[in-house]
Amino acid sequence: MIRDLKALNRLVDSFRKLPSVGLKSAERMAYAVLEMKPEDVEEFAQALTNVKVKIHKCPVCGIYTEDEVCEICSDPERSHDTLIVVSFQKDVYAFEKIERFKGVYHVLNGVLSAVNGVGIEDLSIDSLIKRITEEDIKEVILATNPTIEGETTALFIAKMLSKYTVKITRLAYGMPMGGHLDYTDSMTLNKALEGRTKIKNEE
Amino acid sequence: MIRDLKALNRLVDSFRKLPSVGLKSAERMAYAVLEMKPEDVEEFAQALTNVKVKIHKCPVCGIYTEDEVCEICSDPERSHDTLIVVSFQKDVYAFEKIERFKGVYHVLNGVLSAVNGVGIEDLSIDSLIKRITEEDIKEVILATNPTIEGETTALFIAKMLSKYTVKITRLAYGMPMGGHLDYTDSMTLNKALEGRTKIKNEE
């Protein structure tokens, strides 16, 4: 019955495109829209369109912004010679949350993936190379996820950047803080063993 | 950072108006919209507006429809002399799902509630009385929820309809099928005892 309403089904389809929204949830949401005040629905529709009109990617680093250049790239107090390369926008927020890093970022917009058909041309690699040649960048920290695809992407970029006089580093691998040895996968344990550091005894 | 984007916050506010969507989910959804193709966002916005333009309440019974009169009211094969009164649209779907009832409906659009400030004038009671005086209705089945507010609403309507020559009935109370005695609340058990029926022995 309610599934016979074409206009409602169309909205259900749109809701289903959102993360972790299945058919049941999408139907409940569409039904809620039916019950909303007309002005609230109008506001919802305008807010949606507005997001795409007002927000764009920073032409320098790729972070979402409402300004011409994002607040990180335009901040004179940050070190513009150290650059963290991440796959996704949300990784930038992860770093910003720890309030430790005071350099700038570069968002690749994905990882190399044969399965998902993501190639070099789909990532912002050209603009990264442009920054390295034009700006005075001393260190590039590759911070793609420690997954097979993330690793492949990091290695590929490291290779492409090897001809420039820039220091290329990668985030450390190892045991996560608060982790338990018996719950740690063998790959992580291997990396933790490989990367072991000497404990300095105070004398 | 991402929380500084005004256009995104506006969309987060709209998503939060949906059922069981908290701040975290709303932010994830708004972020997903940012990553969507522009045409998908446009379609989403149009689908939203469209729902309010295309779908309206049936002027007879109050069920959502895209036609002038809803498919139940305009179905000549249904018994238009038996009417189930429900509080909400979704209650109609509950009855339609069991495929047993072949009469028509009347949606009140709520329950009387002092706490939520819902009075008689907020419910479709006038149109119910109008139907009873103008149409040839023989039985009105009151099917509001068996809650305090639902009961109050049912009793109120029963009183208002008492002057008309129409049979007024209420759904039966009792043990839910598959229920367990020791898990049944005392109110339900009381109702089940009160409404006990005689078992007919075959002779």
Side-chain angles (χ1 to χ4, degrees):
Chain A
M1 261 204 49
I2 200 163
R3 290 189 184 162
D4 295 338
L5 300 171
K6 276 191 219 107
L8 206 72
N9 283 333
R10 203 179 139 187
L11 183 58
V12 167
D13 287 344
S14 275
F15 274 126
R16 290 194 68 180
K17 293 207 173 94
L18 296 172
S20 53
V21 175
L23 181 59
K24 276 265 168 189
S25 303
E27 281 182 350
R28 230 180 30 237
M29 287 174 182
Y31 183 82
V33 169
L34 258 182
E35 303 267 294
M36 270 185 197
K37 283 183 236 145
E39 57 268 31
D40 282 351
V41 178
E42 201 36 57
E43 160 62 23
F44 196 167
Q46 274 176 21
L48 272 172
T49 319
N50 204 35
V51 154
K52 281 294 193 189
V53 173
K54 291 271 174 71
I55 302 175
H56 60 97
K57 286 176 179 166
C58 170
V60 183
C61 70
I63 292 176
Y64 286 122
T65 182
E66 288 182 357
D67 307 314
E68 208 182 317
V69 170
C70 82
E71 54 176 315
I72 292 179
C73 286
S74 56
D75 187 345
E77 305 216 329
R78 298 188 75 120
S79 327
H80 290 253
D81 57 359
T82 313
L83 198 151
I84 286 187
V85 175
V86 291
S87 289
F88 308 102
Q89 294 274 340
K90 56 186 172 205
D91 303 329
V92 173
Y93 310 134
F95 278 111
E96 285 299 288
K97 229 184 274 168
I98 60 169
E99 294 184 338
R100 176 75 204 289
F101 179 68
K102 293 297 170 200
V104 290
Y105 297 93
H106 193 86
V107 182
L108 293 173
N109 268 313
V111 280
L112 292 175
S113 165
V115 179
N116 300 315
V118 180
I120 307 154
E121 65 287 354
D122 298 310
L123 307 183
S124 314
I125 296 178
D126 286 348
S127 56
L128 174 63
I129 291 174
K130 195 162 165 276
R131 285 180 80 175
I132 287 163
T133 51
E134 290 178 6
E135 295 174 35
D136 185 28
I137 292 165
K138 295 201 174 66
E139 182 177 355
V140 171
I141 304 168
L142 297 174
T144 52
N145 285 327
T147 57
I148 295 177
E149 291 174 340
E151 284 302 297
T152 311
T153 310
L155 288 177
F156 177 80
I157 292 175
K159 208 173 161 189
M160 283 204 83
L161 300 187
S162 60
K163 60 179 150 182
Y164 303 98
T165 54
V166 61
K167 187 174 164 192
I168 303 163
T169 56
R170 180 94 177 96
L171 290 184
Y173 303 99
M175 292 283 298
M177 293 304 289
H180 294 274
L181 273 174
D182 51 347
Y183 285 118
T184 307
D185 62 292
S186 58
M187 208 120 102
T188 304
L189 214 50
N190 252 313
K191 291 282 186 187
L193 201 58
E194 259 175 53
R196 66 191 180 278
T197 53
K198 204 177 172 193
I199 297 175
K200 287 179 194 81
N201 284 314
E202 284 173 51
E203 284 171 63
Chain B
M1 260 204 50
I2 199 162
R3 290 189 183 159
D4 295 337
L5 300 171
K6 278 194 215 102
L8 205 73
N9 283 332
R10 204 179 139 186
L11 183 58
V12 167
D13 287 343
S14 276
F15 275 126
R16 291 194 68 181
K17 294 209 172 91
L18 296 171
S20 54
V21 175
L23 179 60
K24 275 267 169 189
S25 304
E27 282 183 348
R28 229 178 32 237
M29 286 171 181
Y31 184 81
V33 169
L34 258 182
E35 303 269 292
M36 270 184 194
K37 281 183 235 145
E39 57 267 32
D40 282 350
V41 179
E42 201 37 57
E43 160 62 23
F44 196 167
Q46 273 176 22
L48 272 172
T49 320
N50 204 36
V51 155
K52 282 294 191 187
V53 174
K54 291 272 174 68
I55 303 175
H56 59 97
K57 286 176 178 166
C58 170
V60 182
C61 70
I63 291 175
Y64 286 122
T65 181
E66 288 182 357
D67 307 314
E68 206 181 321
V69 170
C70 82
E71 55 175 315
I72 293 180
C73 286
S74 57
D75 186 346
E77 305 215 328
R78 298 188 75 120
S79 326
H80 289 253
D81 57 358
T82 312
L83 197 150
I84 285 187
V85 176
V86 290
S87 289
F88 306 103
Q89 294 274 342
K90 55 186 172 207
D91 303 329
V92 172
Y93 310 132
F95 279 110
E96 286 298 288
K97 229 183 276 171
I98 62 171
E99 292 183 341
R100 174 76 202 291
F101 178 68
K102 293 296 170 202
V104 289
Y105 297 93
H106 192 86
V107 182
L108 292 173
N109 267 315
V111 280
L112 292 175
S113 163
V115 178
N116 299 316
V118 180
I120 307 153
E121 66 286 353
D122 299 310
L123 306 183
S124 314
I125 296 179
D126 285 350
S127 58
L128 174 63
I129 291 175
K130 193 161 168 276
R131 287 180 80 174
I132 286 163
T133 51
E134 290 177 5
E135 295 173 35
D136 186 26
I137 291 164
K138 294 202 175 65
E139 183 177 354
V140 171
I141 304 167
L142 297 173
T144 51
N145 284 328
T147 57
I148 295 178
E149 292 175 339
E151 284 302 297
T152 312
T153 311
L155 288 176
F156 177 82
I157 292 175
K159 209 173 160 190
M160 284 203 84
L161 301 186
S162 60
K163 58 181 155 186
Y164 304 99
T165 53
V166 60
K167 187 174 163 192
I168 303 162
T169 56
R170 179 95 178 95
L171 291 185
Y173 304 98
M175 292 284 298
M177 295 303 289
H180 294 274
L181 274 175
D182 51 348
Y183 285 117
T184 308
D185 63 293
S186 57
M187 206 119 104
T188 305
L189 214 51
N190 252 313
K191 291 281 186 187
L193 201 59
E194 259 174 53
R196 65 191 181 279
T197 53
K198 206 178 170 190
I199 297 173
K200 287 179 194 81
N201 283 313
E202 283 173 52
E203 281 171 66

